[in-house]
Amino acid sequence: MSNFWDNWATAYRNWRAIIGAIVLLGVFIWALMLKQEFLSRKLLSIRHEEAVVKRVVKLDLNKVPSRFGSSEGVTLYKGVLELPDGTELKLTLVPPIPKVGDRVPLIVEHYDDGSRFYTIDREKWQIEGSL
């Protein structure tokens, strides 16, 4: 009887290993497809726009776990900016923080899939101040 249970346990363990390998292979293939999709985007143009700061909210980092340890001394803000066409945009802000109503310069990257990536042009903003 002992031989029966040994064979059953070995077969069961082998099937678990095979199923685990198939699942991991599926996740790996999915990750490669996402990476390829992300890398296949082509940058079409970079433009400069201005946006008006509508709201600034301080983020409470004490509730956010950090893989680097304590988040004491780090201050982040979430800002809502309004583009000239009326679209609202949410960005994470780091000091120096613009005030509500300030106009900040943005760098807008346009990609061939229709997506856009927004960043604050910090050099221009710090040199010229609030526009």
Side-chain angles (χ1 to χ4, degrees):
M1 194 64 151
S2 157
N3 195 18
F4 169 77
W5 290 113
D6 288 342
N7 290 338
W8 180 82
T10 302
Y12 179 70
R13 182 180 60 231
N14 289 345
W15 277 111
R16 284 180 56 190
I18 290 169
I19 291 172
I22 290 171
V23 168
L24 285 176
L25 182 64
V27 169
F28 181 69
I29 290 171
W30 176 69
L32 285 176
M33 288 183 354
L34 282 181
K35 180 181 177 187
Q36 184 63 28
E37 180 182 326
F38 181 72
L39 293 177
S40 66
R41 297 187 318 165
K42 302 279 187 249
L43 179 63
L44 297 178
S45 65
I46 297 176
R47 296 193 178 144
H48 296 273
E49 293 184 13
E50 290 180 6
V52 178
V53 178
K54 290 295 182 186
R55 288 188 306 271
V56 177
V57 178
K58 183 177 180 180
L59 297 177
D60 185 11
L61 295 180
N62 294 329
K63 297 178 183 175
V64 179
S66 172
R67 65 180 176 171
F68 302 113
S70 174
S71 57
E72 292 179 27
V74 178
T75 306
L76 290 178
Y77 295 84
K78 181 69 78 174
V80 177
L81 303 151
E82 185 177 353
L83 298 173
D85 64 0
T87 307
E88 286 192 349
L89 172 71
K90 294 179 182 177
L91 289 177
T92 302
L93 305 171
V94 294
I97 305 300
K99 297 176 183 73
V100 174
D102 283 354
R103 300 176 65 82
V104 293
L106 295 177
I107 298 172
V108 185
E109 297 175 354
H110 296 269
Y111 292 92
D112 63 348
D113 63 353
S115 62
R116 294 181 183 149
F117 185 74
Y118 296 91
T119 56
I120 293 179
D121 189 351
R122 296 192 73 70
E123 288 181 18
K124 184 175 181 182
W125 183 58
Q126 287 179 338
I127 291 172
E128 297 178 6
S130 178
L131 302 174

